[in-house]
Amino acid sequence: MEFSATALSAFLVFHVFVALASPDCNFPVIFNFGDSNSDTGAISAAFEPIRWPYGDVFFNKPSGRDSDGRLIIDFIAEKLRLPYLSAYLNSLGANFRHGANFATGGSTVRKPNETIYEYGISPFFLDMQVTQFEQFKARSNDLYNQAKNPYDREKLTRPEDYSKALYTFDIGQNDLAVGFRKLSIDQLRAALPDIVNQFASAIQRIYKLGGRSFWIHNTGPFGCLPVNQFYNLNPPPGILDEHGCIKAQNDISMELNNQLKAKLDKLRAELPDAAITYVDVYAAKYALISNGKTQGFPEPLKVCCGYHVRYDHVWCGTKAPINGRLVFGDACENRAQYVSWDGVHYSEAANHFVANHILNGALSSPPIPITQACHRN
């Protein structure tokens, strides 16, 4: 279906008018599902803690996040005027009054067939995260109803808030990482429908458990992650696009996103009470990389933390012998000028840029801000 420029403008104006006319949702709770792009401490609690200099920009210490500071999910919490989410797997100091975070670094949509000790793929894949949420809801409700005083309830989600919550998703990048490592491009392309179907199945499960408002990020431009070129310093002509990203990997990322968007369109018809918002994080991240020099990021594909000189690599926060001396993977000086924190994950500055470009609804379908994501359009 094609729109004329006038019709398209009218369409956008109508939706902006609807958004402006709609009241804010005042979400009392966030439940998040995902991977390291939104993990606020789970993988650190379950396995080895993430170490300094991770976290030292905003939190002034490691915070369980794969960044120098805040993640997009943290900026979402700020936008909704809610506390930062406690990781479900973190047993110390957790407060679940305003939600819980089930994301873990290395998580995939599909069930993994390798251990975390091989390539860092988490055992807590998306279906397992939903199972954890189901258990969390049942046990929290029991504890809440059994509590004899307000103090026993103050760190638990209120039973009536599950239907009012915002359910956020940011996952899929690691499915592509596994695919690029183990499969041919054609094999990975053939696997995309299964990734999307399992993603949709997770949403359907949460809907059956009472979830109604869904804010769903697509996957970012995988071919723009600097790590992909650590061991290929001189790629053949035609491999990279004009911004230095691997074209074939970005093409698969976009294909996955297109299939996810189409699937969510169908889910809206199947789940009559659901408000489902598809968020084009890919567009925001690629815009940051392609226009980095004009946005205060002079070298968008350069890595801030770690030692990366030709084929010698020391990962951020670790030590390794290089040419007879022990080298520490330290952080750069001007961190606010870097898109990539450690070659895989984005810096706080980059996460802030992306958040500013997605939370207002400019890159959403339907085009509504996150504060109004409870409204079905």
Side-chain angles (χ1 to χ4, degrees):
M1 183 176 181
E2 296 184 359
F3 291 94
S4 67
T6 302
L8 181 58
S9 297
F11 174 80
L12 292 174
V13 168
F14 171 76
H15 278 278
V16 169
F17 174 79
V18 170
L20 291 173
S22 301
D24 285 349
C25 301
N26 297 318
F27 293 111
V29 168
I30 303 169
F31 293 111
N32 182 67
F33 305 83
D35 53 31
S36 58
N37 289 311
S38 60
D39 180 0
T40 55
I43 211 69
S44 275
F47 295 97
E48 186 175 349
I50 297 172
R51 304 186 185 281
W52 183 87
Y54 285 85
D56 71 340
V57 162
F58 181 80
F59 300 99
N60 299 314
K61 61 181 180 180
S63 64
R65 292 160 172 81
D66 277 310
S67 182
D68 57 331
R70 289 165 291 182
L71 308 176
I72 295 173
I73 187 63
D74 296 313
F75 292 112
I76 287 175
E78 290 181 6
K79 183 69 173 180
L80 300 181
R81 299 180 181 179
L82 295 174
Y84 299 136
L85 291 181
S86 292
Y88 169 73
L89 294 178
N90 196 347
S91 59
L92 298 174
N95 187 329
F96 302 118
R97 170 64 187 82
H98 293 285
N101 193 353
F102 298 90
T104 66
S107 286
T108 51
V109 174
R110 300 203 295 179
K111 184 178 180 179
N113 57 6
E114 59 188 55
T115 75
I116 194 170
Y117 302 106
E118 293 176 273
Y119 293 99
I121 297 300
S122 169
F124 305 107
F125 62 107
L126 183 55
D127 193 57
M128 180 63 68
Q129 292 180 24
V130 177
T131 298
Q132 290 174 334
F133 167 72
E134 186 173 13
Q135 181 186 41
F136 172 89
K137 181 181 179 183
R139 287 182 55 79
S140 292
N141 285 349
D142 284 345
L143 291 171
Y144 192 93
N145 292 327
Q146 292 169 13
K148 297 180 180 180
N149 59 68
Y151 176 80
D152 293 333
R153 294 176 172 173
E154 66 180 17
K155 292 186 177 181
L156 297 172
T157 304
R158 295 182 302 185
E160 64 269 23
D161 283 346
Y162 289 92
S163 62
K164 304 173 185 175
L166 180 65
Y167 293 83
T168 56
F169 293 79
D170 193 325
I171 194 167
Q173 177 175 306
N174 290 313
D175 293 89
L176 296 185
V178 172
F180 288 127
R181 177 160 42 84
K182 291 187 171 183
L183 306 175
S184 69
I185 289 292
D186 288 341
Q187 289 172 326
L188 179 53
R189 183 176 289 110
L192 297 183
D194 185 53
I195 297 172
V196 169
N197 287 337
Q198 292 197 38
F199 200 139
S201 178
I203 296 169
Q204 290 169 320
R205 283 185 65 192
I206 293 176
Y207 182 83
K208 290 178 180 177
L209 291 167
R212 291 296 179 265
S213 301
F214 299 90
W215 181 266
I216 300 167
H217 293 180
N218 67 9
T219 198
F222 191 92
C224 297
L225 298 178
V227 66
N228 295 322
Q229 297 181 54
F230 277 3
Y231 302 99
N232 187 12
L233 300 181
N234 297 298
I239 296 296
L240 305 181
D241 67 13
E242 65 271 30
H243 304 296
C245 303
I246 299 175
K247 290 192 292 187
Q249 293 182 341
N250 279 355
D251 287 344
I252 289 291
S253 301
M254 288 188 288
E255 190 163 342
L256 173 62
N257 292 339
N258 289 337
Q259 291 187 27
L260 176 62
K261 187 175 186 294
K263 189 69 175 181
L264 295 181
D265 288 341
K266 293 180 179 179
L267 276 186
R268 291 189 186 95
E270 297 171 9
L271 308 178
D273 296 322
I276 299 174
T277 307
Y278 169 87
V279 186
D280 195 356
V281 169
Y282 182 105
K285 289 183 174 179
Y286 194 73
L288 171 58
I289 292 164
S290 59
N291 300 302
K293 292 180 181 179
T294 63
Q295 300 295 328
F297 300 90
E299 297 183 84
L301 297 183
K302 191 174 181 180
V303 177
C304 175
C305 189
Y307 177 90
H308 305 289
V309 179
R310 293 194 60 76
Y311 292 103
D312 293 324
H313 299 286
V314 182
W315 293 98
C316 181
T318 67
K319 296 179 181 179
I322 301 292
N323 298 325
R325 66 186 181 94
L326 195 62
V327 174
F328 177 67
D330 207 348
C332 60
E333 291 288 336
N334 301 316
R335 302 176 193 193
Q337 296 180 7
Y338 283 76
V339 172
S340 180
W341 165 242
D342 60 8
V344 177
H345 306 100
Y346 286 71
S347 67
E348 177 182 279
N351 287 327
H352 198 183
F353 176 95
V354 174
N356 285 341
H357 284 74
I358 64 172
L359 299 186
N360 60 6
L363 296 174
S364 298
S365 177
I368 57 174
I370 194 169
T371 54
Q372 297 173 9
C374 64
H375 301 297
R376 180 178 170 88
N377 287 280

